[in-house]
């Protein structure tokens, strides 16, 4: 695994949100991350490592170093 994907220059672990490296901390859940970022949970959709994560599963979804998270505005309607 390339070092640039897992750690910052100071060797601290990272994960990626929409392609941008973020510092990782053990036990951080997807719900906590959204709260820290100020994202309203009901207005965004999430995918972790390419897999959709339903709203009700976010509090139980723990982020790991090296994870790739996509957060996007959910658009409904036709």
């Amino acid at each position: 695994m390339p070092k640039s994907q897992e750690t910052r220059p100071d060797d601290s672990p990272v994960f990626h949100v929409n392609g941008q490296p973020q510092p990782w901390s053990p036990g951080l859940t997807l719900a906590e991350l959204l709260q820290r970022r100020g994202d309203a949970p009901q207005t965004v959709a999430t995918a972790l490592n390419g897999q959709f994560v339903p709203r009700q599963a976010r509090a139980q979804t723990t982020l790991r170093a090296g994870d790739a998270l996509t957060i996007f505005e959910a658009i409904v309607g036709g």
Side-chain angles (χ1 to χ4, degrees):
M1 211 170 324
K3 189 174 188 176
S4 63
Q5 292 181 1
E6 293 273 344
T7 62
R8 297 189 316 191
D10 65 358
D11 283 335
S12 59
V14 299
F15 66 102
H16 291 82
V17 177
N18 295 339
Q20 299 299 312
Q22 303 292 315
W24 172 80
S25 58
L28 178 64
T29 67
L30 180 48
E32 291 168 333
L33 175 68
L34 293 175
Q35 182 179 25
R36 287 182 189 180
R37 287 172 41 98
D39 292 316
Q42 66 277 12
T43 65
V44 296
T46 54
L48 183 61
N49 300 320
Q51 298 294 314
F52 173 72
V53 180
R55 263 185 234 144
Q56 61 271 29
R58 293 174 183 166
Q60 295 80 36
T61 302
T62 303
L63 300 171
R64 297 178 297 200
D67 277 348
L69 177 64
T70 304
I71 301 172
F72 52 97
E73 220 174 299
I75 299 173
V76 295

